[in-house]
Amino acid sequence: EDPANAFEAELDATLEAVEKWDGWVEIWCLDPKGGMELKPGLPMWKEYASRYEAMAKIIHKCAEQMQARAEELAGVMREHQPSKEYPFVILIIDEMAALTLYMKETNKAIYNQLIGDLGLILTEGRAVGYSVVACAQDPRKEVNALRNLFPMRIGLQFDEESDVDLALGKGAVNKGAVCHKIPKNPKRYSDWAGTAYELYAGDTTARKTRTAYPTDSDIDFMVPNYAIKKSLEKHVDKESDDQPAVA
């Protein structure tokens, strides 16, 4: 199936589930593909950027806020419980390769900071209510240097068996994650659309899942009904208009 469409179905289903918890959950969205995918939901996002330097700044801001919260809650709370004072923060990156490869090739200093900040969030964020959802169409290691820090991995349709182990971890196919056997062009697309396999760190058996497909009408309903109360001015990227928005 079209990986781009499948990714968006996964993201939209996730967003639909969490946006109902107004004030208890914050969504921070990074859209390196120029805003085509996630900008329609702008009123629902706490933070948003589609330009590279702006995205790096948001990731750094997220890491700093996470550390500040950890210091504040140290000795007060052993396990994070979402509240309006300390909401659960989900940082969404769609997609990872466009962000990391572009920054690695154009600005090594910002790339190193970005990787460091993401690594910090991935290793320390869970305890204080910070999570990262990153999409990647290319399973190669150099695309996602932080792959091993993601405990939950979900694989959609892959062309090659070897790609499954690259994306989901060594031995994933033997655990039942046969993503390469999901038909790429089935006779009836609706029979397989959204099909995926997921593995959590330590799992011995993969779980077969299927994501519902939110239609444009569903999204049109979600945006005004789950919009958060804030000024949208903060979402305007700070770079000049001639800064490329896509790799």
Side-chain angles (χ1 to χ4, degrees):
E1 65 188 296
D2 182 347
N5 289 340
F7 281 145
E8 296 317 312
E10 290 278 358
L11 287 179
D12 289 341
T14 300
L15 294 170
E16 186 173 13
V18 301
E19 283 296 346
K20 297 175 183 179
W21 295 84
D22 183 30
W24 294 57
V25 178
E26 290 181 0
I27 306 294
W28 297 29
C29 282
L30 307 183
D31 193 358
K33 291 182 286 187
M36 290 294 293
E37 306 290 357
L38 297 176
K39 198 166 187 176
L42 190 60
M44 299 189 296
W45 316 146
K46 180 69 174 180
E47 298 284 349
Y48 174 86
S50 60
R51 298 181 184 275
Y52 290 101
E53 282 73 12
M55 288 186 281
K57 290 177 181 178
I58 285 180
I59 292 173
H60 186 63
K61 177 180 179 180
C62 187
E64 287 188 325
Q65 286 193 6
M66 181 208 69
Q67 289 181 302
R69 180 186 290 187
E71 292 179 3
E72 186 175 352
L73 297 181
V76 177
M77 184 184 299
R78 294 186 61 186
E79 182 177 347
H80 176 256
Q81 297 293 331
S83 65
K84 291 194 174 184
E85 185 178 5
Y86 301 111
F88 184 64
V89 177
I90 303 176
L91 175 65
I92 293 177
I93 305 173
D94 180 25
E95 58 107 29
M96 192 74 164
L99 177 60
T100 56
L101 287 182
Y102 176 85
M103 295 309 304
K104 187 175 184 178
E105 293 173 0
T106 60
N107 195 319
K108 196 64 177 289
I110 293 181
Y111 169 80
N112 288 335
Q113 176 183 294
L114 181 152
I115 292 297
D117 288 336
L118 275 177
L120 195 64
I121 299 168
L122 287 165
T123 53
E124 300 180 13
R126 179 183 175 185
V128 289
Y130 285 76
S131 183
V132 180
V133 176
C135 300
Q137 295 188 39
D138 189 339
R140 290 175 300 161
K141 185 70 175 180
E142 59 266 27
V143 171
N144 185 2
L146 301 170
R147 176 181 288 117
N148 291 336
L149 298 182
F150 287 87
M152 171 66 79
R153 303 178 196 176
I154 302 173
L156 295 153
Q157 193 275 333
F158 286 111
D159 291 332
E160 303 293 337
E161 180 176 336
S162 58
D163 289 343
V164 181
D165 282 357
L166 280 174
L168 303 187
K170 187 176 180 180
V173 173
N174 292 334
K175 294 177 181 179
V178 289
C179 303
H180 59 296
K181 292 186 178 181
I182 298 174
K184 189 173 185 178
N185 297 299
K187 292 182 179 179
R188 289 206 312 167
Y189 182 78
S190 59
D191 288 345
W192 290 93
T195 300
Y197 290 89
E198 66 178 34
L199 278 167
Y200 194 81
D203 283 350
T204 57
T205 304
R207 289 174 294 280
K208 186 177 181 180
T209 66
R210 190 169 185 183
T211 302
Y213 178 72
T215 65
D216 288 348
S217 295
D218 294 331
I219 296 171
D220 289 341
F221 173 83
M222 287 169 58
V223 172
N225 282 281
Y226 302 139
I228 57 178
K229 297 176 181 179
K230 62 175 183 347
S231 168
L232 298 183
E233 294 178 356
K234 68 184 299 181
H235 294 291
V236 178
D237 293 329
K238 301 303 182 183
E239 283 73 33
S240 61
D241 291 338
D242 58 356
Q243 172 66 32
V246 294

